[in-house]
Amino acid sequence: MHDRHIAPVELAKANRLLNHGPTVLVSARHAGVDDVMAAAWACALDFMPPKLSVVLDKASRTRALLEGSGRFVIQVPTVALLQQTHQVGSHGLAEQPDKLARAGVELFDLEGHDLPFVAGCSAWLACRLLPEPHNQQTYDLFIGEVIGAWADTRAFRDGHWLFEQADPAWRSLHYIAGGRFYAIGEALDV
Amino acid sequence: MHDRHIAPVELAKANRLLNHGPTVLVSARHAGVDDVMAAAWACALDFMPPKLSVVLDKASRTRALLEGSGRFVIQVPTVALLQQTHQVGSHGLAEQPDKLARAGVELFDLEGHDLPFVAGCSAWLACRLLPEPHNQQTYDLFIGEVIGAWADTRAFRDGHWLFEQADPAWRSLHYIAGGRFYAIGEALDV
Protein backbone atom coordinates (compact mmCIF):
# COMPACT_ATOMS: atom_id res chain seq x y z
CA MET A 1 0.00 0.00 0.00
CA HIS A 2 2.75 2.43 0.93
CA ASP A 3 5.66 0.99 -0.91
CA ARG A 4 5.35 2.61 -4.30
CA HIS A 5 5.80 6.06 -2.73
CA ILE A 6 8.73 5.12 -0.50
CA ALA A 7 12.16 5.89 -1.91
CA PRO A 8 15.62 5.59 -0.35
CA VAL A 9 17.33 8.82 0.72
CA GLU A 10 21.10 8.95 0.29
CA LEU A 11 22.80 8.81 3.67
CA ALA A 12 24.71 12.05 3.02
CA LYS A 13 21.35 13.86 2.97
CA ALA A 14 19.63 11.94 5.76
CA ASN A 15 20.17 14.81 8.24
CA ARG A 16 17.78 16.93 6.14
CA LEU A 17 14.95 14.70 7.33
CA LEU A 18 15.48 15.96 10.92
CA ASN A 19 17.17 19.35 10.58
CA HIS A 20 13.93 21.29 10.96
CA GLY A 21 13.34 19.78 14.39
CA PRO A 22 10.16 17.73 13.99
CA THR A 23 8.66 15.64 16.75
CA VAL A 24 9.43 12.03 15.84
CA LEU A 25 8.15 8.54 16.47
CA VAL A 26 10.70 6.10 17.86
CA SER A 27 10.07 2.42 17.24
CA ALA A 28 11.93 -0.74 18.18
CA ARG A 29 11.51 -4.53 18.12
CA HIS A 30 13.01 -7.12 20.46
CA ALA A 31 12.12 -10.69 21.31
CA GLY A 32 8.87 -10.51 19.38
CA VAL A 33 7.66 -7.25 20.93
CA ASP A 34 7.19 -4.00 19.00
CA ASP A 35 6.71 -0.57 20.54
CA VAL A 36 6.37 2.96 19.24
CA MET A 37 6.64 6.20 21.22
CA ALA A 38 6.68 9.88 20.41
CA ALA A 39 9.75 12.01 21.18
CA ALA A 40 10.08 15.76 20.85
CA TRP A 41 13.72 15.61 21.85
CA ALA A 42 15.40 14.09 18.81
CA CYS A 43 18.14 15.81 16.86
CA ALA A 44 20.64 15.28 14.07
CA LEU A 45 24.19 14.88 15.37
CA ASP A 46 26.48 14.34 12.39
CA PHE A 47 26.59 14.38 8.60
CA MET A 48 28.54 11.34 7.38
CA PRO A 49 28.08 8.77 8.58
CA PRO A 50 24.84 10.38 9.72
CA LYS A 51 24.14 10.20 13.43
CA LEU A 52 21.30 11.41 15.61
CA SER A 53 20.45 11.72 19.29
CA VAL A 54 17.15 11.06 21.06
CA VAL A 55 16.06 11.35 24.69
CA LEU A 56 14.13 8.31 25.95
CA ASP A 57 12.57 8.14 29.39
CA LYS A 58 13.59 5.22 31.59
CA ALA A 59 9.94 4.20 31.92
CA SER A 60 9.43 3.66 28.18
CA ARG A 61 9.24 0.16 26.79
CA THR A 62 10.63 1.36 23.47
CA ARG A 63 13.84 2.18 25.31
CA ALA A 64 14.11 -1.31 26.78
CA LEU A 65 13.50 -2.83 23.33
CA LEU A 66 16.21 -0.80 21.61
CA GLU A 67 18.62 -1.49 24.44
CA GLY A 68 17.91 -5.16 23.81
CA SER A 69 18.20 -5.19 20.04
CA GLY A 70 20.64 -2.34 19.45
CA ARG A 71 18.43 -1.10 16.59
CA PHE A 72 15.63 1.47 16.29
CA VAL A 73 13.77 3.62 13.81
CA ILE A 74 13.29 7.38 14.02
CA GLN A 75 10.43 8.44 11.74
CA VAL A 76 8.73 11.74 11.00
CA PRO A 77 4.96 11.75 11.59
CA THR A 78 2.64 14.08 9.72
CA VAL A 79 -0.36 16.28 10.48
CA ALA A 80 -2.49 13.31 9.37
CA LEU A 81 -0.96 11.33 12.26
CA LEU A 82 -1.55 14.03 14.92
CA GLN A 83 -3.85 11.96 17.16
CA GLN A 84 -1.75 8.83 16.72
CA THR A 85 1.42 10.70 17.63
CA HIS A 86 -0.15 12.17 20.75
CA GLN A 87 -1.57 8.80 21.79
CA VAL A 88 1.66 6.81 21.48
CA GLY A 89 3.37 9.64 23.36
CA SER A 90 0.84 9.56 26.20
CA HIS A 91 0.53 5.83 26.94
CA GLY A 92 3.05 3.12 27.71
CA LEU A 93 2.94 -0.51 26.63
CA ALA A 94 3.02 -1.67 30.28
CA GLU A 95 -0.15 0.22 31.11
CA GLN A 96 -1.86 -0.40 27.76
CA PRO A 97 -0.68 -3.66 26.10
CA ASP A 98 -2.86 -2.99 23.04
CA LYS A 99 -1.54 0.57 22.80
CA LEU A 100 -0.50 0.33 19.13
CA ALA A 101 -3.84 -1.08 17.94
CA ARG A 102 -5.78 1.45 20.02
CA ALA A 103 -3.77 4.33 18.56
CA GLY A 104 -4.29 2.95 15.05
CA VAL A 105 -0.58 2.43 14.41
CA GLU A 106 0.10 0.36 11.31
CA LEU A 107 3.57 -1.15 11.00
CA PHE A 108 5.33 -2.26 7.83
CA ASP A 109 8.64 -3.84 6.87
CA LEU A 110 11.51 -2.59 4.79
CA GLU A 111 13.75 -5.25 3.31
CA GLY A 112 16.98 -5.95 5.12
CA HIS A 113 15.88 -4.39 8.41
CA ASP A 114 14.17 -6.37 11.17
CA LEU A 115 12.48 -3.24 12.52
CA PRO A 116 8.92 -1.94 12.85
CA PHE A 117 8.38 1.02 10.50
CA VAL A 118 5.30 3.18 11.14
CA ALA A 119 3.06 3.61 8.08
CA GLY A 120 1.91 7.10 7.11
CA CYS A 121 5.10 8.89 8.17
CA SER A 122 6.98 11.10 5.73
CA ALA A 123 10.49 9.80 6.47
CA TRP A 124 12.21 6.90 8.22
CA LEU A 125 15.74 6.57 9.61
CA ALA A 126 16.88 3.06 10.56
CA CYS A 127 19.52 3.36 13.28
CA ARG A 128 22.16 1.27 14.97
CA LEU A 129 22.57 2.18 18.64
CA LEU A 130 26.06 3.49 19.47
CA PRO A 131 26.22 2.42 23.11
CA GLU A 132 27.15 5.25 25.45
CA PRO A 133 26.25 3.97 28.92
CA HIS A 134 27.10 7.23 30.70
CA ASN A 135 24.83 9.32 28.44
CA GLN A 136 22.07 6.74 28.60
CA GLN A 137 22.10 6.53 32.41
CA THR A 138 22.82 10.15 33.28
CA TYR A 139 20.87 11.99 30.59
CA ASP A 140 18.51 9.37 29.06
CA LEU A 141 20.36 10.32 25.86
CA PHE A 142 20.77 7.73 23.11
CA ILE A 143 22.98 8.10 20.05
CA GLY A 144 22.34 6.23 16.83
CA GLU A 145 24.12 5.88 13.53
CA VAL A 146 21.72 6.08 10.61
CA ILE A 147 22.17 2.94 8.48
CA GLY A 148 19.20 3.44 6.17
CA ALA A 149 16.95 6.36 5.22
CA TRP A 150 13.75 6.57 3.21
CA ALA A 151 11.09 9.16 2.50
CA ASP A 152 7.62 9.26 1.01
CA THR A 153 8.14 10.98 -2.31
CA ARG A 154 4.92 12.95 -1.85
CA ALA A 155 6.63 14.85 1.02
CA PHE A 156 10.39 14.66 0.33
CA ARG A 157 12.02 14.06 -3.04
CA ASP A 158 15.49 14.54 -4.58
CA GLY A 159 16.87 15.75 -1.24
CA HIS A 160 14.16 18.37 -0.60
CA TRP A 161 11.04 18.67 1.50
CA LEU A 162 8.01 19.54 -0.61
CA PHE A 163 5.88 21.10 2.13
CA GLU A 164 4.93 24.10 0.03
CA GLN A 165 3.46 21.99 -2.77
CA ALA A 166 2.27 18.88 -0.90
CA ASP A 167 -1.10 18.51 0.81
CA PRO A 168 -0.89 20.20 4.26
CA ALA A 169 -1.63 16.80 5.82
CA TRP A 170 2.04 15.91 4.99
CA ARG A 171 3.51 18.67 7.17
CA SER A 172 5.68 17.70 10.10
CA LEU A 173 4.52 18.08 13.72
CA HIS A 174 6.39 20.16 16.30
CA TYR A 175 5.27 19.50 19.86
CA ILE A 176 5.27 22.15 22.58
CA ALA A 177 3.39 20.84 25.66
CA GLY A 178 -0.07 19.80 26.86
CA GLY A 179 -1.52 18.62 23.54
CA ARG A 180 -0.31 21.67 21.60
CA PHE A 181 1.64 21.08 18.41
CA TYR A 182 2.57 23.33 15.52
CA ALA A 183 2.78 22.16 11.92
CA ILE A 184 5.80 23.27 9.92
CA GLY A 185 5.01 26.42 7.94
CA GLU A 186 6.08 28.62 5.11
CA ALA A 187 9.25 28.08 3.06
CA LEU A 188 11.88 30.83 3.33
CA ASP A 189 14.93 31.07 1.11
CA VAL A 190 17.93 33.23 1.93
CA MET B 1 14.83 49.35 23.53
CA HIS B 2 14.06 45.67 23.95
CA ASP B 3 13.78 45.40 27.68
CA ARG B 4 10.17 46.29 28.30
CA HIS B 5 9.04 43.27 26.27
CA ILE B 6 11.46 40.78 27.82
CA ALA B 7 10.04 38.72 30.67
CA PRO B 8 11.57 35.83 32.63
CA VAL B 9 10.27 32.33 31.86
CA GLU B 10 10.04 29.95 34.80
CA LEU B 11 12.73 27.28 34.52
CA ALA B 12 10.17 24.46 34.71
CA LYS B 13 8.76 25.70 31.40
CA ALA B 14 12.04 26.61 29.70
CA ASN B 15 11.98 23.44 27.57
CA ARG B 16 8.89 24.82 25.78
CA LEU B 17 11.13 27.41 24.17
CA LEU B 18 12.98 24.63 22.29
CA ASN B 19 10.54 21.71 22.08
CA HIS B 20 9.38 22.61 18.58
CA GLY B 21 12.91 22.24 17.23
CA PRO B 22 13.83 25.73 16.03
CA THR B 23 17.20 26.62 14.60
CA VAL B 24 18.98 28.61 17.32
CA LEU B 25 21.72 31.16 17.72
CA VAL B 26 24.51 30.19 20.11
CA SER B 27 26.49 33.01 21.69
CA ALA B 28 29.38 33.13 24.12
CA ARG B 29 31.86 35.59 25.65
CA HIS B 30 35.38 34.96 26.88
CA ALA B 31 38.37 37.22 27.51
CA GLY B 32 36.66 40.20 25.92
CA VAL B 33 35.58 38.41 22.75
CA ASP B 34 31.94 37.78 21.77
CA ASP B 35 30.78 35.42 19.05
CA VAL B 36 27.44 34.24 17.74
CA MET B 37 26.75 31.27 15.47
CA ALA B 38 23.68 29.51 14.13
CA ALA B 39 22.97 25.88 15.03
CA ALA B 40 20.22 23.66 13.65
CA TRP B 41 21.24 20.81 15.96
CA ALA B 42 20.09 22.02 19.37
CA CYS B 43 17.61 20.13 21.51
CA ALA B 44 16.01 20.09 24.93
CA LEU B 45 17.41 17.33 27.15
CA ASP B 46 15.65 17.52 30.52
CA PHE B 47 12.81 19.24 32.36
CA MET B 48 14.05 20.24 35.81
CA PRO B 49 16.64 21.44 36.14
CA PRO B 50 16.26 22.15 32.43
CA LYS B 51 19.09 20.96 30.24
CA LEU B 52 19.78 21.12 26.54
CA SER B 53 22.26 19.78 24.00
CA VAL B 54 23.85 21.52 21.04
CA VAL B 55 26.29 20.37 18.36
CA LEU B 56 29.19 22.80 17.78
CA ASP B 57 31.78 22.30 15.07
CA LYS B 58 35.42 22.26 16.18
CA ALA B 59 36.18 25.13 13.79
CA SER B 60 33.75 27.54 15.45
CA ARG B 61 35.05 30.34 17.62
CA THR B 62 31.84 30.29 19.66
CA ARG B 63 32.80 26.79 20.77
CA ALA B 64 36.23 27.91 21.95
CA LEU B 65 34.66 30.83 23.85
CA LEU B 66 32.14 28.68 25.71
CA GLU B 67 34.83 26.12 26.48
CA GLY B 68 36.79 28.99 28.00
CA SER B 69 34.02 30.62 30.02
CA GLY B 70 31.78 27.61 30.74
CA ARG B 71 28.75 29.75 29.87
CA PHE B 72 26.67 30.30 26.73
CA VAL B 73 23.31 31.48 25.48
CA ILE B 74 20.92 29.54 23.25
CA GLN B 75 18.42 31.93 21.70
CA VAL B 76 15.57 31.54 19.23
CA PRO B 77 15.81 33.78 16.15
CA THR B 78 12.76 34.87 14.21
CA VAL B 79 11.72 35.27 10.59
CA ALA B 80 12.78 38.93 10.94
CA LEU B 81 16.32 37.64 11.65
CA LEU B 82 16.46 35.23 8.67
CA GLN B 83 19.39 36.91 6.89
CA GLN B 84 21.27 37.50 10.13
CA THR B 85 20.83 33.87 11.17
CA HIS B 86 22.09 32.60 7.84
CA GLN B 87 25.05 35.00 7.88
CA VAL B 88 26.30 34.13 11.37
CA GLY B 89 25.88 30.47 10.41
CA SER B 90 27.93 30.85 7.22
CA HIS B 91 30.95 32.83 8.41
CA GLY B 92 33.47 32.34 11.20
CA LEU B 93 35.08 35.01 13.35
CA ALA B 94 38.55 33.88 12.25
CA GLU B 95 37.78 34.53 8.59
CA GLN B 96 35.63 37.62 9.21
CA PRO B 97 36.63 39.48 12.41
CA ASP B 98 33.80 42.00 11.93
CA LYS B 99 31.30 39.20 11.32
CA LEU B 100 28.80 40.38 13.93
CA ALA B 101 28.71 43.97 12.71
CA ARG B 102 28.46 42.85 9.08
CA ALA B 103 25.53 40.55 9.89
CA GLY B 104 23.83 43.35 11.82
CA VAL B 105 23.89 41.47 15.13
CA GLU B 106 22.99 43.68 18.08
CA LEU B 107 23.94 42.37 21.53
CA PHE B 108 22.41 43.33 24.86
CA ASP B 109 22.91 42.48 28.54
CA LEU B 110 20.66 40.81 31.05
CA GLU B 111 21.46 41.57 34.68
CA GLY B 112 23.41 38.94 36.55
CA HIS B 113 24.75 37.21 33.42
CA ASP B 114 28.04 38.17 31.78
CA LEU B 115 26.87 36.88 28.41
CA PRO B 116 26.09 38.36 24.98
CA PHE B 117 22.33 38.12 24.30
CA VAL B 118 21.22 38.67 20.68
CA ALA B 119 18.56 41.36 20.27
CA GLY B 120 15.45 40.62 18.23
CA CYS B 121 15.19 36.96 19.23
CA SER B 122 11.99 35.59 20.74
CA ALA B 123 13.57 33.63 23.60
CA TRP B 124 16.89 33.30 25.43
CA LEU B 125 18.31 30.47 27.54
CA ALA B 126 21.40 31.25 29.62
CA CYS B 127 23.35 28.04 30.14
CA ARG B 128 26.13 26.67 32.28
CA LEU B 129 28.26 24.13 30.43
CA LEU B 130 28.15 20.66 31.99
CA PRO B 131 31.58 19.43 30.90
CA GLU B 132 31.46 16.07 29.14
CA PRO B 133 34.84 15.77 27.41
CA HIS B 134 34.04 12.47 25.67
CA ASN B 135 30.85 13.87 24.07
CA GLN B 136 32.57 17.12 23.16
CA GLN B 137 35.53 15.41 21.49
CA THR B 138 33.78 12.44 19.89
CA TYR B 139 30.47 13.98 18.83
CA ASP B 140 30.98 17.78 19.06
CA LEU B 141 28.05 17.51 21.48
CA PHE B 142 27.77 20.03 24.32
CA ILE B 143 25.36 19.79 27.24
CA GLY B 144 24.20 22.83 29.18
CA GLU B 145 22.06 23.40 32.23
CA VAL B 146 19.65 26.28 31.74
CA ILE B 147 20.18 28.78 34.56
CA GLY B 148 18.01 31.60 33.23
CA ALA B 149 15.24 31.86 30.62
CA TRP B 150 13.47 34.85 29.10
CA ALA B 151 11.08 35.47 26.24
CA ASP B 152 9.75 38.43 24.31
CA THR B 153 6.16 38.68 25.47
CA ARG B 154 5.03 39.49 21.93
CA ALA B 155 5.97 35.91 20.93
CA PHE B 156 5.78 33.82 24.14
CA ARG B 157 3.74 34.67 27.23
CA ASP B 158 2.45 32.81 30.30
CA GLY B 159 4.16 29.63 29.19
CA HIS B 160 2.76 29.62 25.64
CA TRP B 161 3.99 30.54 22.18
CA LEU B 162 1.68 33.07 20.51
CA PHE B 163 2.58 32.30 16.89
CA GLU B 164 -1.04 32.20 15.75
CA GLN B 165 -1.75 35.73 16.98
CA ALA B 166 1.65 37.42 16.70
CA ASP B 167 3.02 39.07 13.57
CA PRO B 168 4.45 36.33 11.27
CA ALA B 169 7.84 38.04 11.61
CA TRP B 170 8.01 36.48 15.14
CA ARG B 171 7.85 32.91 13.88
CA SER B 172 10.76 30.60 14.56
CA LEU B 173 13.14 29.43 11.81
CA HIS B 174 13.74 25.77 10.99
CA TYR B 175 16.78 25.20 8.78
CA ILE B 176 17.02 22.39 6.23
CA ALA B 177 20.09 22.96 4.01
CA GLY B 178 21.52 25.29 1.37
CA GLY B 179 19.79 28.51 2.44
CA ARG B 180 16.36 26.89 2.78
CA PHE B 181 14.47 27.43 6.03
CA TYR B 182 10.85 26.88 7.02
CA ALA B 183 8.98 29.12 9.43
CA ILE B 184 6.91 27.41 12.09
CA GLY B 185 3.29 27.09 10.96
CA GLU B 186 -0.23 26.46 12.06
CA ALA B 187 -1.25 25.60 15.65
CA LEU B 188 -2.77 22.15 16.14
CA ASP B 189 -4.44 21.02 19.37
CA VAL B 190 -5.13 17.39 20.16
Side-chain angles (χ1 to χ4, degrees):
Chain A
M1 154 186 181
H2 298 279
D3 292 37
R4 76 189 171 92
H5 293 293
I6 297 177
V9 173
E10 54 176 312
L11 288 182
K13 290 181 176 168
N15 66 86
R16 297 183 182 192
L17 302 173
L18 285 186
N19 278 357
H20 61 305
T23 292
V24 301
L25 297 178
V26 188
S27 60
R29 167 176 297 166
H30 186 57
V33 179
D34 291 337
D35 197 14
V36 180
M37 64 179 282
W41 297 350
C43 196
L45 179 63
D46 205 352
F47 290 101
M48 205 60 202
K51 296 189 190 76
L52 53 79
S53 65
V54 60
V55 179
L56 302 170
D57 191 84
K58 289 184 180 65
S60 100
R61 186 69 177 276
T62 310
R63 171 174 170 159
L65 297 177
L66 75 84
E67 285 175 327
S69 71
R71 294 284 185 280
F72 59 104
V73 185
I74 296 289
Q75 47 237 310
V76 182
T78 66
V79 167
L81 296 187
L82 173 65
Q83 297 294 339
Q84 190 179 117
T85 300
H86 192 250
Q87 278 192 57
V88 299
S90 308
H91 300 284
L93 207 58
E95 154 222 345
Q96 210 178 71
D98 61 344
K99 165 189 168 179
L100 299 187
R102 278 210 220 183
V105 172
E106 188 195 336
L107 299 174
F108 71 101
D109 295 319
L110 283 170
E111 208 182 323
H113 296 273
D114 184 19
L115 282 165
F117 294 87
V118 178
C121 287
S122 57
W124 300 265
L125 300 153
C127 300
R128 178 172 74 86
L129 180 65
L130 300 178
E132 289 286 357
H134 170 68
N135 286 336
Q136 295 168 203
Q137 274 309 116
T138 308
Y139 299 112
D140 296 331
L141 180 70
F142 290 75
I143 293 177
E145 180 187 333
V146 179
I147 54 173
W150 303 263
D152 191 299
T153 55
R154 291 167 292 185
F156 183 97
R157 196 167 54 234
D158 302 330
H160 301 285
W161 286 104
L162 308 173
F163 295 128
E164 59 280 21
Q165 48 187 275
D167 188 295
W170 282 105
R171 288 182 181 242
S172 53
L173 298 170
H174 300 253
Y175 184 62
I176 304 289
R180 163 57 59 102
F181 292 76
Y182 285 92
I184 198 65
E186 189 190 353
L188 303 165
D189 290 295
V190 173
Chain B
M1 153 186 183
H2 299 277
D3 291 41
R4 76 190 170 91
H5 292 292
I6 296 178
V9 173
E10 53 176 314
L11 289 182
K13 291 182 176 167
N15 65 86
R16 297 183 182 192
L17 302 172
L18 285 186
N19 278 357
H20 62 306
T23 292
V24 301
L25 297 178
V26 188
S27 60
R29 168 177 296 165
H30 186 57
V33 178
D34 291 336
D35 196 13
V36 180
M37 64 179 281
W41 297 351
C43 196
L45 180 63
D46 206 352
F47 289 102
M48 203 60 201
K51 297 189 189 77
L52 55 77
S53 65
V54 60
V55 179
L56 302 170
D57 192 83
K58 289 184 178 66
S60 101
R61 186 68 177 276
T62 309
R63 171 173 170 158
L65 296 177
L66 74 84
E67 285 175 327
S69 71
R71 294 284 185 282
F72 59 104
V73 185
I74 296 287
Q75 47 238 310
V76 182
T78 66
V79 166
L81 297 188
L82 173 65
Q83 297 295 337
Q84 191 179 116
T85 299
H86 193 249
Q87 279 192 58
V88 298
S90 309
H91 300 284
L93 207 58
E95 154 220 346
Q96 211 178 72
D98 61 344
K99 164 191 169 178
L100 299 187
R102 278 211 220 182
V105 172
E106 188 195 335
L107 300 174
F108 71 101
D109 295 318
L110 282 169
E111 208 183 323
H113 297 272
D114 184 19
L115 283 165
F117 294 86
V118 178
C121 287
S122 57
W124 300 265
L125 300 153
C127 300
R128 177 172 74 86
L129 180 65
L130 300 179
E132 291 284 357
H134 170 67
N135 286 336
Q136 294 167 204
Q137 273 310 116
T138 307
Y139 299 112
D140 295 332
L141 180 69
F142 289 75
I143 293 176
E145 179 187 333
V146 179
I147 55 173
W150 302 264
D152 191 299
T153 55
R154 292 168 291 186
F156 184 97
R157 195 166 56 233
D158 301 330
H160 302 284
W161 285 104
L162 307 173
F163 295 128
E164 58 279 22
Q165 48 187 276
D167 188 296
W170 282 104
R171 289 183 181 240
S172 53
L173 299 170
H174 300 253
Y175 184 62
I176 305 288
R180 162 60 56 104
F181 292 78
Y182 286 92
I184 197 67
E186 189 190 352
L188 303 166
D189 290 295
V190 174

